[in-house]
Amino acid sequence: MSKDTLIMPPSPSSSFITRRHALVGGAGLLLAGCDQINASPAVQSVLSLGEKATHGAQRLVTDRNALAREFSRADMSPVFRQNGNRNPGTAEYDALAANNFADWTLNVGGMVAQPLRLSLAQLMAAPRRTQITRHDCVEGWSAIGEWSGVPLGLLLRRAGLSSNAKYVVFHCADSTGGAPYYESIDLIDAFHPQTILATHMNGAPLVVGHGAPLRLRVERQLGYKQAKYVMRVEAVASLDSLYGGKGGYWEDHRGYQWFAGI
Ligand SMILES: Nc1nc2c(c(=O)[nH]1)N[C@H]1C(S)=C(S)[C@@H](COP(=O)(O)O)O[C@H]1N2
Ligand SMILES: [Mo]
């Protein structure tokens, strides 16, 4: 995409604080090609180190709350590859897509006091954050793109996240070989300011290949954590009883680390 085809983000991130206060105070507002970038050392080591070792080391040497680097529009990749599943291809998803996701809803549930059911229009009207970041895939490619969406922490607070919850799980519309795609993150990443449920990429609503209508951006982690086609968000105390028990599709099936920090 050339720079002059970019549309301004729906709202500047600077308005986030004010709008967030409005959200907290007023019930119902929320409801009313690859770059020449070498894979980072984290990419190189993600398949070789034990998860506990890496996670432990990262906890010690990095500030989990630090921001991922943000870029300018001039840095944006002309081509941002579509990777992994590029269309869930189920009858249910096809029907939702055919109607521009007007009938789609996001469910936020599990260990919350007030489960939420939100339409795409409601999510698009909610306070949002826009950020230009670099996506690093373990397959050895990176791309810089602009993402805009609702901060996950905002939704979790709105839903009244239980103090016993430890993880947030993202259930996706697609599956591979009969195994549903899912991912999970801990609460440090869930409340990280750059962790958003993105409705927009590069100034336009997400296209199917990039995860329409909603995908996770958890900017301190690698590409496979960036769940596309998010249908349901679930707060849990343990990952043990979900699917293969390792917290994600790749973790269960390919032995990728659960914590893929960069
Ligand atoms: N639901 C779902 N999410 C997914 C995947 C997938 O196959 N299904 N692939 C992951 C991988 S490996 C990468 S690199 C990114 C690719 O996102 P993109 O297609 O927007 O580039 O999505 C991640 N999220
Ligand atoms: Mo990836």
Side-chain angles (χ1 to χ4, degrees):
M1 177 178 293
S2 76
K3 262 205 318 184
D4 44 56
T5 62
L6 289 174
I7 302 161
M8 284 301 288
S11 77
S13 48
S14 56
S15 70
F16 170 63
I17 297 296
T18 11
R19 297 183 68 192
R20 175 177 162 191
H21 282 171
L23 174 84
V24 171
L29 171 57
L30 179 61
L31 301 175
C34 306
D35 284 332
Q36 303 308 104
I37 296 168
N38 292 324
S40 69
V43 174
Q44 318 285 2
S45 69
V46 71
L47 299 175
S48 55
L49 282 180
E51 179 207 313
K52 285 208 176 81
T54 305
H55 199 177
Q58 294 248 2
R59 274 192 187 286
L60 286 177
V61 304
T62 68
D63 175 2
R64 294 277 318 277
N65 295 311
L67 296 180
R69 180 171 170 200
E70 293 195 16
F71 297 80
S72 74
R73 295 214 153 157
D75 300 316
M76 286 171 56
S77 303
V79 176
F80 196 117
R81 177 157 147 185
Q82 299 177 353
N83 206 48
N85 286 331
R86 283 177 283 175
N87 191 330
T90 63
E92 191 193 349
Y93 182 87
D94 286 350
L96 292 168
N99 204 14
N100 251 325
F101 302 101
D103 309 313
W104 171 93
T105 51
L106 174 74
N107 283 282
V108 181
M111 298 178 76
V112 299
Q114 179 62 60
L116 306 176
R117 194 164 161 229
L118 302 164
S119 69
L120 188 54
Q122 287 172 324
L123 285 168
M124 291 208 183
R128 60 177 50 240
R129 176 182 172 102
T130 300
Q131 59 207 21
I132 300 176
T133 53
R134 194 181 80 189
H135 175 109
D136 293 317
C137 173
V138 288
E139 291 166 20
W141 59 273
S142 300
I144 293 172
E146 183 195 73
W147 303 98
S148 181
V150 187
L152 177 64
L154 192 70
L155 295 185
L156 296 175
R157 283 197 188 92
R158 184 87 174 92
L161 183 67
S162 161
S163 56
N164 294 322
K166 289 200 168 64
Y167 305 97
V168 180
V169 182
F170 305 89
H171 298 275
C172 306
D174 58 318
S175 50
T176 303
Y181 203 98
Y182 78 105
E183 259 306 340
S184 60
I185 58 178
D186 65 15
L187 297 188
I188 299 177
D189 267 325
F191 285 95
H192 187 284
Q194 289 170 320
T195 298
I196 62 175
L197 286 170
T199 57
H200 288 67
M201 176 189 184
N202 296 351
L206 283 179
V207 298
V208 169
H210 288 298
L214 194 73
R215 66 106 44 93
L216 175 67
R217 291 303 309 175
V218 50
E219 304 291 359
R220 297 289 309 279
Q221 295 207 47
L222 291 172
Y224 62 87
K225 302 297 288 191
Q226 322 295 326
K228 305 195 279 189
Y229 317 113
V230 175
M231 307 296 280
R232 187 159 64 89
V233 174
E234 183 187 14
V236 298
S238 162
L239 300 170
D240 294 349
S241 62
L242 287 161
Y243 306 102
K246 297 204 168 79
Y249 169 82
W250 294 101
E251 292 89 329
D252 284 344
H253 298 278
R254 300 287 174 87
Y256 284 19
Q257 292 172 42
W258 174 76
F259 186 75
I262 43 179

